[in-house]
Amino acid sequence: MAVPVELRNGAARISSAFSGGILGGLAAAGVAYWLCGLLLERHTGLDAAIWPGWDWARELAEQGAMAGALLLPPWLKRSATLKGLTLSLLPTSLMLVGLLPHTFDAPAPLPDNLTLEAALVGAGNAAWALIACWWMKLCGQT
């Protein structure tokens, strides 16, 4: 018995959205670690960022996979970059308002500074969304 084309295409879209979300979550972990170290060093003069461990990276990858559901609607098909940057605005705004928790500051607790927090959250979410959207495009599931 042959699998219907619509079902196969839908399964491929779901699979690429969630795997792209996982890759994006790992990219967000790397960007957050690098940016925390950079911001902390520039703000205090100390290179005190520590790698919080693979459990933290796994947590971000799981959050990225769940957020991969945002990639399922087929909108903005022409540009994966524009789609990624647009998508990153939703979780960024929800995290900055406090409706969603963020753990991007785990590598180094930054001073209470809204500008630094906004830069860190925005960069982490942009990294997630861009990598996830580029992965979907690479898989042919724009």
Side-chain angles (χ1 to χ4, degrees), residues 49-60:
I50 58 164
W51 179 251
W54 288 106
D55 287 337
W56 171 71
R58 179 192 45 80
E59 182 181 330
L60 287 180

Side-chain angles (χ1 to χ4, degrees), residues 7-19 68 70-75 77 83 136 140-142:
L7 182 63
R8 189 174 40 229
N9 290 343
R13 185 161 187 80
I14 291 170
S15 175
S16 64
F18 287 112
S19 61
L70 293 173
L71 302 171
L72 291 175
W75 56 282
K77 289 185 174 188
K83 183 177 184 176
M136 284 193 69
Q141 300 294 324
T142 60

Side-chain angles (χ1 to χ4, degrees), residues 15-36:
S15 175
S16 64
F18 287 112
S19 61
I22 290 169
L23 290 174
L26 292 174
V31 165
Y33 172 69
W34 173 77
L35 197 55
C36 275

Side-chain angles (χ1 to χ4, degrees), residues 92 96 113-123:
T92 299
L96 290 177
N113 186 334
L114 188 58
T115 306
L116 293 178
E117 184 177 356
L120 187 60
V121 169

Side-chain angles (χ1 to χ4, degrees), residues 2 5 25 28 60 78 80 92 131:
V5 174
L60 287 180
R78 297 185 85 186
T92 299
I131 295 298

